[in-house]
């Protein structure tokens, strides 16, 4: 279980430090650059803020229970009790039918860097907040030795 039990929304000043691999940092900076203009500009700016505060670690040093890019995660919606799996992917790989959530989607940005046991809130339509808990990182490329992904 993580020592971080409950998070404020990821964009709050009180959130814990974010660990990210050097490879993910390079790729995500490119995502920001590609999307700073257009319909995803606000999401790209939010991602940039997250990256600016992140601590970069080597792929071999990222704990296996941290959500990294292309991780597959089991989470629970704390309002409904529903459990779901989703993979965190780059925008061009997103596919809701395949549970592939873009890093530029609010929930995608929210789960980046979370650890098993962490709870996160993120904005929903109609000024509501969604709340989910990370139950398990089912697949993390770094833990599986898939450093090329």
């Amino acid at each position: 279980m993580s020592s971080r039990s409950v998070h404020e929304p990821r964009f709050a000043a009180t959130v814990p430090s974010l660990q990210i691999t050097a490879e993910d940092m390079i790729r995500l900076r490119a995502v920001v650059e590609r999307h700073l203009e257009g319909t995803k500009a606000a999401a790209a700016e939010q991602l940039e803020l997250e990256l600016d505060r992140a601590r970069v670690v080597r792929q071999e040093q990222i704990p296996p229970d941290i959500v990294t890019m292309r991780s597959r995660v089991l989470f629970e919606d704390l309002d409904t009790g529903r459990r779901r799996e989703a993979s965190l992917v780059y925008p061009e790989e997103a596919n809701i039918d395949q549970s592939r959530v873009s890093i530029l989607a609010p929930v995608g940005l929210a789960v980046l860097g979370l650890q098993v046991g962490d709870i996160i809130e993120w904005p929903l339509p109609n000024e509501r907040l969604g709340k989910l808990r990370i139950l398990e990182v089912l697949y993390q490329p770094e833990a599986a030795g898939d450093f090329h992904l």
Side-chain angles (χ1 to χ4, degrees), residues 70-138:
R70 296 200 175 106
S71 289
R72 191 171 66 249
V73 179
L74 176 65
F75 62 89
E76 178 182 20
D77 183 318
L78 295 180
D79 293 328
T80 67
R82 184 175 174 211
R83 291 180 175 203
R84 293 183 42 206
E85 286 184 28
S87 296
L88 181 62
V89 299
Y90 295 93
E92 61 277 5
E93 301 167 339
N95 183 321
I96 199 69
D97 294 332
Q98 296 176 358
S99 298
R100 296 168 59 135
V101 177
S102 171
I103 185 64
L104 293 180
V107 70
L109 183 58
V111 300
L112 180 66
L114 287 190
Q115 196 166 21
V116 170
D118 284 349
I119 295 172
I120 189 70
E121 292 180 332
W122 79 97
L124 294 171
N126 301 322
E127 299 184 21
R128 297 178 301 138
L129 285 178
K131 189 183 286 187
L132 64 83
R133 177 190 341 255
I134 304 297
L135 299 176
E136 186 177 352
V137 176
L138 300 167

Side-chain angles (χ1 to χ4, degrees), residues 20-23 56-62 142:
I20 190 168
T21 67
E23 291 75 11
V56 177
V57 296
R58 293 180 47 213
Q59 286 180 310
E60 302 83 15
Q61 295 177 325
I62 194 98
E142 294 79 11

Side-chain angles (χ1 to χ4, degrees), residues 9-24:
R10 299 286 293 173
F11 41 84
T14 59
V15 293
S17 70
L18 168 69
Q19 293 183 67
I20 190 168
T21 67
E23 291 75 11
D24 281 351

